[in-house]
Amino acid sequence: MSETKIRIRDNGPFLVEGPITLEDAEGNSYTIDKPTIALCRCGASDNKPFCDGKHKHCGFASEERAQAE
């Protein structure tokens, strides 16, 4: 079984790799036909929930790091 991995890009989207099911609030599934998808974090995408690169021009800034336990 393949592993799902989510990478947080500095000042950019969440990159989701591996098998996933993406559902909206009503339980409708998106068709995912790519091995990796980018999910919008900035809120400016015209293609939400997917990233369309608008984070590069809207001033979005976020550089989270995982906290050591």
Side-chain angles (χ1 to χ4, degrees):
M1 182 175 187
S2 296
E3 183 178 313
T4 301
K5 181 178 185 178
I6 301 172
R7 292 186 294 141
I8 302 171
R9 300 294 304 255
D10 284 350
N11 307 315
F14 291 120
L15 294 182
V16 184
E17 303 170 356
I20 65 162
T21 300
L22 184 61
E23 291 183 357
D24 67 15
E26 295 179 356
N28 302 307
S29 293
Y30 287 88
T31 300
I32 308 294
D33 59 355
K34 299 178 180 180
T36 302
I37 62 169
L39 296 176
C40 177
R41 289 198 301 152
C42 73
S45 175
D46 289 330
N47 193 30
K48 290 182 199 86
F50 305 103
C51 176
D52 67 1
K54 291 252 171 52
H55 59 274
K56 298 174 188 172
H57 308 288
C58 74
F60 178 72
S62 180
E63 296 181 354
E64 287 116 6
R65 297 295 183 261
Q67 298 295 318
E69 291 184 29

